[in-house]
Amino acid sequence: MALFLVDGHALAYRSFFAFAGAPLRTSAGEETGAVYGFLNTLLSLFAKFDPEYIAVAFDCDAPTFRHDQFDDYKAHRPAMPDGLIAQLPLIFATLDAMGIRRIEAPGFEADDIIATLARRWRDTAAVSIVSGDKDLLQLIDDRIHVIRPGKGAVLENELDSDGLVALTGLRPDQFVDYLALVGDTSDNVPGVRGIGEKTAAELLRQFGSLDAIYARLDEVAKPSARKRLDEGRAAALSSRELVRLRDDVPVELALADLVRPDYRTPELEQLLDRLEFRRLRDQLFRAAAPERPRATRPPSTPAVVPGRADAVPLRYTLVDSEDALARLAGELAGRDEIVVDVETSSIDPMRAVLAGIAIGSEPGVACYVPVTSELDEPGTLGLLPAQRAGGLEPASVRRILGPLLAAPRPAKIGQHIKYDAVALERAGLPLGGITFDTMIASYCLDPGRRSHGLDALARELCGHEMIPFEALFDRRVKEKDIRRVALERVTEYACEDADYTLRLKALFAPMIEASEVRGLFHDVEMPLSELLTRMEMTGVRVDPGFLDDLARKYGARITELEEAVYRSVGERFNIASTPRLREVLFEKLKLKPTRRTKTGYSTDADVLEALAGQHEVVSLLLEWRQLIKLKSTYVDTLPRLIHPETGRVHTSYNQAVASTGRLSSSDPNLQNIPIRTAEGREIRRAFIAREKGWVLLDADYSQIELRILAHLSGDAALQQAFRDGEDVHRATAARVMKIAPAAVTDDMRNRAKVVNFGIVYGMGARGLAQSLGIDTAEAKTFIEEYFASYPGVKRFIEDTIAAAKRDKVVTTLLGRMRRLPDIDSSNPGARAFSERVAVNTPVQGTAADIIKLAMLAVDREIRGRGLASRLILQVHDELLLDVPERELELVQDLVRRCMESAMDLDVPLRVDMGTGANWLEAH
């Protein structure tokens, strides 16, 4: 059973500000954006998680017990905006119309209500809390998770205990103490003055808890931190009581009272009509009755054509015969451009079965070509023998439609068309003539947009609610395979995707042509999409035999460690059992515990590290845990990701995610293979050249961001250091400390390295002090000396921030834009963040542009020369290639030349290069 508890107050605020820049209003002028955003997030939650029980908690207007404890609690928080005050009753009315229980408790906050209900029913149901409020992270445990809203109505970042540790470095039971140390300016919780987020986290990782910090205050290494903690002891303890959530709120409810109702009620339909959410109304109540034919939809869907807003009748057609397909192919051959959008059995294009192809040719006009397949197949082939009635034979689709899809004309348009290209290529239907991707266009025009997905773009730019994928299925259906949906319903869904992609193209194309990102879009991002398609399909070879051997090696070592643990403590027990381990360590061996949780003394890794000197068993346990994690996360998992047809692992590159322009990798993430420990580095040995007689070539830019900073700043000294081939960190240390380079120690160099890279990311004296373990005054002096040594860098930072405040945007050298609407915000935190982004984006964004230019140049040369070598991985500033040994010398030269000449800077670009039979050897 799943219980979802929604932080209604936080969600209402978030929804209001999502539309604050362009408020949504009815024809009578009534503001409705907060209601729309609130409802959309709920519907997204229903579609993605299908909760069985749900409640929404709200704050009360009356003071709470925290105001009694601290007179100034929330004293400086701005009043609720008038626009949100007006919409709260509408949000309440929406929940009431849906039959969803909303809860308030005088004297308590919504967070306390959520804490009470979560802990009350954690043993009965799996509890998910929906909120972006960091205070609620303290509730996370093995049965309570937190889901944080992402962009738009997207729900992402579902955090469990491990996820919280990965995100913050802290366990849930440490979060109250963390908040007590850092305070909360929005709630006027004081915290300890001068103790920032990083220091607080470091202290808690070292000591375990606030009580332990104060019990061992003399062990705090930094004198300044020790003094601040001592002076702020009372503030820390009172802050802890303010941020600790109460779980005893007198809420008289049974779990059965929170059963999720059938929310599609007549009352909701009437309310949506009054609020003029007509497309949302049609979507919801059409989804409740999927048998309704497309023709019943009112002919009022707007045509998104520049300069027009008139209605366009819809003609969505099912093409279910060879004759009809032949007529369609003949008609499309005369078009200048068409939209292509595929439907498949899976979100992984390398394993998906092609279910059909939607093609859009003009606004309101689209067709769907269903392709038959074997429903019971696991989905490892692109096209399979015909089974389902009403579809076309794969061979017929290849013969009739294949030439049109492969031809350079008509031009092909898509939304995230890389996915379609991979799926079609595997199905024997290569896609040629790709010229426009609406997702990439949106990303180039505004990388900070909440979402570049089709649903969000159609809603934001066309005022249209797309049919949700989940609406195709009964809510009780767990395996959502589109091949099992009636063709008439799939036709409606697929044609709408193609139709609105074409409408968005009509909007975006003139905007691209008139903007500074025209070259970036046409010459970089669109060609890169085709290159990434090839890289994803090529994949990287992984040696399952090596991984099997490594699994056995790790397994044997794990067994040895277990036996050593048993011998060390004198008994056999379940090492993975926290209660048994706690009993052995603290009751039998009498080790001194460092932190207590609500279930007993902690045995987490940081606790064990603190105990390492007390007994030999501790180091054995730490090694055991490390190997268990490496084995389960990588060694045992990677073989399952090897594609059964290719024998390789195929990642997906995300081209429209990072605002700086960087690529990311997922499913699996091959940009995150561990390299910090010897055991972790061994895993890179599993990534090998494609066959005998081939090697891997690794090429990595050297200090590219600092070289870009030298170019952008025009600083003569920094530029000269790179031109002379100096160790720039040693040179910086020598200049700042006014000593000869030969006198620079390793510690001095490391300090200079932190400053060199920190300057790029807007690091101030406080951040530098925390990073180097020095006091703020010393850090401030170091930064002042740095700027005195490199005055051009200081000038660049000041000029960049000033220009950003004037233009509300910053750009890379290639014209990639990043909008900064908060650069002059009255909120100091938002303003400071935007200033850091303003400085960092031209540097990191230009680095992302350079590696993309290099990739395109390398690929162009390799294919132009007819070489067999192939790019197979990109990891930030690093490229990995599969190269036949006979081509190695030639490819090394061309890769170095392409990378080092990718962009003409005032300082030279340099590339470090290595080769080997596996990735570790090559790096």
Side-chain angles (χ1 to χ4, degrees), residues 443-672:
Y443 177 66
C444 288
L445 289 166
D446 186 2
R449 190 188 296 276
R450 290 192 299 271
S451 171
H452 305 286
L454 181 58
D455 288 7
L457 293 175
R459 180 187 309 114
E460 181 179 344
L461 301 177
C462 308
H464 176 79
E465 284 295 332
M466 303 291 288
I467 303 170
F469 178 76
E470 291 78 7
L472 300 178
F473 304 90
D474 185 286
R475 59 177 290 188
R476 294 166 294 184
V477 173
K478 297 300 181 185
E479 184 183 348
K480 293 178 170 59
D481 187 336
I482 200 168
R483 295 173 297 166
R484 300 183 185 275
V485 178
L487 284 179
E488 292 74 14
R489 184 65 171 146
V490 177
T491 298
E492 177 185 26
Y493 171 80
C495 287
E496 184 183 60
D497 283 357
D499 181 10
Y500 276 85
T501 298
L502 188 62
R503 296 175 191 236
L504 287 168
K505 191 269 180 179
L507 270 180
F508 284 143
M511 295 167 67
I512 290 284
E513 297 306 311
S515 76
E516 294 182 359
V517 299
R518 181 183 184 280
L520 180 73
F521 176 79
H522 289 296
D523 301 333
V524 180
E525 296 294 353
M526 285 307 301
L528 184 70
S529 177
E530 293 192 49
L531 170 55
L532 294 176
T533 299
R534 293 192 294 274
M535 289 174 64
E536 289 181 15
M537 294 195 69
T538 300
V540 56
R541 187 179 172 199
V542 172
D543 183 353
F546 174 82
L547 289 170
D548 287 345
D549 290 343
L550 198 58
R552 284 192 291 271
K553 174 183 172 184
Y554 284 0
R557 179 57 182 159
I558 288 168
T559 300
E560 290 175 3
L561 289 167
E562 289 171 350
E563 293 299 326
V565 167
Y566 301 149
R567 288 194 300 272
S568 179
V569 302
E571 67 172 280
R572 306 181 75 84
F573 66 101
N574 182 1
I575 301 175
S577 168
T578 299
R580 285 289 290 123
L581 182 59
R582 184 186 298 129
E583 181 183 325
V584 168
L585 294 179
F586 305 127
E587 295 181 21
K588 179 173 183 175
L589 299 182
K590 306 298 183 184
L591 301 188
K592 183 180 177 181
T594 61
R595 183 176 63 251
R596 189 180 185 90
T597 69
K598 56 180 177 290
T599 57
Y601 291 118
S602 172
T603 61
D604 285 351
D606 57 342
V607 171
L608 292 184
E609 287 170 3
L611 297 173
Q614 295 188 31
H615 196 282
E616 63 175 358
V617 73
V618 178
S619 59
L620 298 172
L621 289 169
L622 285 168
E623 185 181 354
W624 180 85
R625 283 187 175 178
Q626 180 194 35
L627 287 178
I628 286 287
K629 182 175 180 179
L630 286 173
K631 187 173 183 292
S632 62
T633 305
Y634 302 107
V635 179
D636 293 340
T637 301
L638 280 171
R640 295 197 293 269
L641 300 177
I642 297 173
H643 198 284
E645 295 174 20
T646 67
R648 301 187 185 97
V649 170
H650 300 266
T651 189
S652 292
Y653 286 100
N654 307 308
Q655 202 172 347
V657 173
S659 296
T660 57
R662 279 190 179 272
L663 294 173
S664 62
S665 163
S666 58
D667 305 318
N669 181 358
L670 296 185
Q671 295 184 337
N672 201 32

Side-chain angles (χ1 to χ4, degrees), residues 147-202:
I147 299 170
R148 302 191 301 168
K151 296 180 178 179
V154 176
L155 293 157
E156 55 186 24
N157 297 337
E158 183 172 5
L159 291 177
D160 57 10
S161 297
D162 291 340
L164 183 65
V165 172
L167 182 68
T168 67
L170 298 171
R171 304 182 312 277
D173 63 279
Q174 294 176 304
F175 226 74
V176 169
D177 290 351
Y178 169 77
L179 295 172
L181 285 168
V182 301
D184 187 339
T185 55
S186 64
D187 288 345
N188 205 32
V189 174
V192 177
R193 186 175 182 180
I195 298 297
E197 295 178 354
K198 185 172 182 180
T199 299
E202 288 174 350

Side-chain angles (χ1 to χ4, degrees), residues 636-808:
D636 293 340
T637 301
L638 280 171
R640 295 197 293 269
L641 300 177
I642 297 173
H643 198 284
E645 295 174 20
T646 67
R648 301 187 185 97
V649 170
H650 300 266
T651 189
S652 292
Y653 286 100
N654 307 308
Q655 202 172 347
V657 173
S659 296
T660 57
R662 279 190 179 272
L663 294 173
S664 62
S665 163
S666 58
D667 305 318
N669 181 358
L670 296 185
Q671 295 184 337
N672 201 32
I673 302 297
I675 58 173
R676 292 186 177 181
T677 64
E679 291 82 4
R681 286 192 294 273
E682 276 295 296
I683 295 168
R684 284 201 169 198
R685 292 189 187 277
F687 293 81
I688 59 176
R690 64 185 300 159
E691 59 189 70
K692 187 176 181 181
W694 289 59
V695 294
L696 294 180
L697 170 64
D698 187 283
D700 193 357
Y701 276 118
S702 170
Q703 298 175 335
I704 187 169
E705 291 184 359
L706 290 180
R707 294 172 189 270
I708 293 168
L709 178 64
H711 171 86
L712 291 172
S713 67
D715 187 273
L718 190 57
Q719 289 187 354
Q720 194 60 47
F722 281 117
R723 291 193 190 109
D724 293 344
E726 295 181 35
D727 177 339
V728 72
H729 302 314
R730 188 170 297 278
T732 295
R735 286 181 174 278
V736 169
M737 298 174 186
K738 299 179 176 60
I739 58 176
V744 173
T745 65
D746 288 344
D747 180 64
M748 293 174 182
R749 183 185 182 277
N750 287 336
R751 288 191 175 200
K753 183 177 181 179
V754 171
V755 176
N756 274 328
F757 285 114
I759 290 296
V760 177
Y761 292 90
M763 179 185 287
R766 185 178 177 185
L768 180 61
Q770 291 173 339
S771 296
L772 295 180
I774 58 179
D775 62 39
T776 304
E778 184 181 354
K780 185 172 182 288
T781 300
F782 201 103
I783 290 176
E784 288 171 351
E785 291 293 338
Y786 177 92
F787 283 137
S789 301
Y790 298 122
V793 174
K794 183 177 183 181
R795 207 163 38 244
F796 161 73
I797 292 172
E798 293 171 344
D799 291 349
T800 299
I801 292 174
K805 288 183 175 179
R806 182 188 67 238
D807 302 331
K808 302 296 188 294

Side-chain angles (χ1 to χ4, degrees), residues 260-580:
R260 185 181 121 199
D262 183 354
Y263 58 87
R264 296 181 177 97
T265 64
E267 293 81 7
L268 180 62
E269 187 170 17
Q270 291 169 12
L271 182 62
L272 295 181
D273 195 45
R274 185 179 85 71
L275 297 175
E276 299 180 6
F277 297 163
R278 296 190 182 96
R279 290 187 179 85
L280 185 56
R281 175 203 62 194
D282 291 346
Q283 169 212 320
L284 280 178
F285 292 94
R286 178 185 60 205
E291 71 278 359
R292 290 171 61 188
R294 184 69 184 203
T296 63
R297 179 183 245 186
S300 59
T301 307
V304 185
V305 178
R308 291 180 54 191
D310 50 316
V312 173
L314 300 177
R315 287 189 286 125
Y316 292 173
T317 308
L318 175 63
V319 178
D320 56 0
S321 72
E322 289 189 16
D323 288 344
L325 184 60
R327 288 193 297 273
L328 173 67
E331 188 234 322
L332 293 177
R335 298 275 180 175
D336 291 330
E337 60 184 22
I338 60 173
V339 165
V340 177
D341 182 84
V342 302
E343 300 300 334
T344 64
S345 64
S346 167
I347 61 173
D348 179 357
M350 286 298 297
R351 295 176 185 261
V353 178
L354 184 66
I357 307 167
I359 299 175
S361 52
E362 60 184 83
V365 179
C367 59
Y368 181 65
V369 181
V371 180
T372 56
S373 65
E374 176 67 66
L375 286 177
D376 292 330
E377 278 288 328
T380 58
L381 300 177
L383 287 171
L384 295 159
Q387 290 291 323
R388 188 175 65 179
L392 293 172
E393 293 272 0
S396 299
V397 177
R398 290 193 194 99
R399 174 172 52 82
I400 300 171
L401 197 59
L404 178 91
L405 295 177
R409 306 295 298 178
K412 311 306 186 303
I413 299 161
Q415 164 75 17
H416 189 202
I417 202 167
K418 175 162 65 71
Y419 177 93
D420 306 273
V422 173
L424 287 169
E425 180 78 31
R426 293 189 58 253
L429 291 161
L431 192 60
I434 298 172
T435 62
F436 204 97
D437 188 320
T438 50
M439 179 187 75
I440 295 175
S442 172
Y443 177 66
C444 288
L445 289 166
D446 186 2
R449 190 188 296 276
R450 290 192 299 271
S451 171
H452 305 286
L454 181 58
D455 288 7
L457 293 175
R459 180 187 309 114
E460 181 179 344
L461 301 177
C462 308
H464 176 79
E465 284 295 332
M466 303 291 288
I467 303 170
F469 178 76
E470 291 78 7
L472 300 178
F473 304 90
D474 185 286
R475 59 177 290 188
R476 294 166 294 184
V477 173
K478 297 300 181 185
E479 184 183 348
K480 293 178 170 59
D481 187 336
I482 200 168
R483 295 173 297 166
R484 300 183 185 275
V485 178
L487 284 179
E488 292 74 14
R489 184 65 171 146
V490 177
T491 298
E492 177 185 26
Y493 171 80
C495 287
E496 184 183 60
D497 283 357
D499 181 10
Y500 276 85
T501 298
L502 188 62
R503 296 175 191 236
L504 287 168
K505 191 269 180 179
L507 270 180
F508 284 143
M511 295 167 67
I512 290 284
E513 297 306 311
S515 76
E516 294 182 359
V517 299
R518 181 183 184 280
L520 180 73
F521 176 79
H522 289 296
D523 301 333
V524 180
E525 296 294 353
M526 285 307 301
L528 184 70
S529 177
E530 293 192 49
L531 170 55
L532 294 176
T533 299
R534 293 192 294 274
M535 289 174 64
E536 289 181 15
M537 294 195 69
T538 300
V540 56
R541 187 179 172 199
V542 172
D543 183 353
F546 174 82
L547 289 170
D548 287 345
D549 290 343
L550 198 58
R552 284 192 291 271
K553 174 183 172 184
Y554 284 0
R557 179 57 182 159
I558 288 168
T559 300
E560 290 175 3
L561 289 167
E562 289 171 350
E563 293 299 326
V565 167
Y566 301 149
R567 288 194 300 272
S568 179
V569 302
E571 67 172 280
R572 306 181 75 84
F573 66 101
N574 182 1
I575 301 175
S577 168
T578 299
R580 285 289 290 123

Side-chain angles (χ1 to χ4, degrees), residues 768-898:
L768 180 61
Q770 291 173 339
S771 296
L772 295 180
I774 58 179
D775 62 39
T776 304
E778 184 181 354
K780 185 172 182 288
T781 300
F782 201 103
I783 290 176
E784 288 171 351
E785 291 293 338
Y786 177 92
F787 283 137
S789 301
Y790 298 122
V793 174
K794 183 177 183 181
R795 207 163 38 244
F796 161 73
I797 292 172
E798 293 171 344
D799 291 349
T800 299
I801 292 174
K805 288 183 175 179
R806 182 188 67 238
D807 302 331
K808 302 296 188 294
V809 68
V810 289
T811 61
T812 69
L813 289 177
L814 279 191
R816 186 185 302 279
M817 298 185 299
R818 186 167 183 181
R819 304 184 191 281
L820 297 171
D822 294 330
I823 190 72
D824 53 4
S825 170
S826 59
N827 182 315
R831 184 174 64 250
F833 174 77
S834 292
E835 290 177 355
R836 290 194 296 272
V837 168
V839 175
N840 170 248
T841 295
V843 177
Q844 194 178 69
T846 296
D849 291 342
I850 287 174
I851 194 69
K852 289 178 176 179
L853 289 172
M855 293 171 68
L856 292 169
V858 168
D859 179 68
R860 190 164 50 244
E861 284 251 7
I862 285 175
R863 294 196 300 130
R865 293 169 180 257
L867 300 176
S869 299
R870 288 292 181 267
L871 273 168
I872 57 172
L873 279 184
Q874 187 264 10
V875 181
H876 306 311
D877 305 324
E878 173 188 358
L879 299 180
L880 191 68
L881 294 90
D882 248 332
V883 182
E885 290 177 350
R886 65 180 183 278
E887 295 178 0
L888 182 57
E889 186 175 348
L890 174 63
V891 172
Q892 283 177 312
D893 287 342
L894 76 84
V895 167
R896 186 179 299 280
R897 176 166 39 82
C898 289

Side-chain angles (χ1 to χ4, degrees), residues 893-914:
D893 287 342
L894 76 84
V895 167
R896 186 179 299 280
R897 176 166 39 82
C898 289
M899 292 183 71
E900 293 186 345
S901 64
M903 186 177 285
D904 186 19
L905 301 180
D906 292 338
V907 296
L909 290 173
R910 290 289 178 261
V911 174
D912 297 324
M913 201 172 290

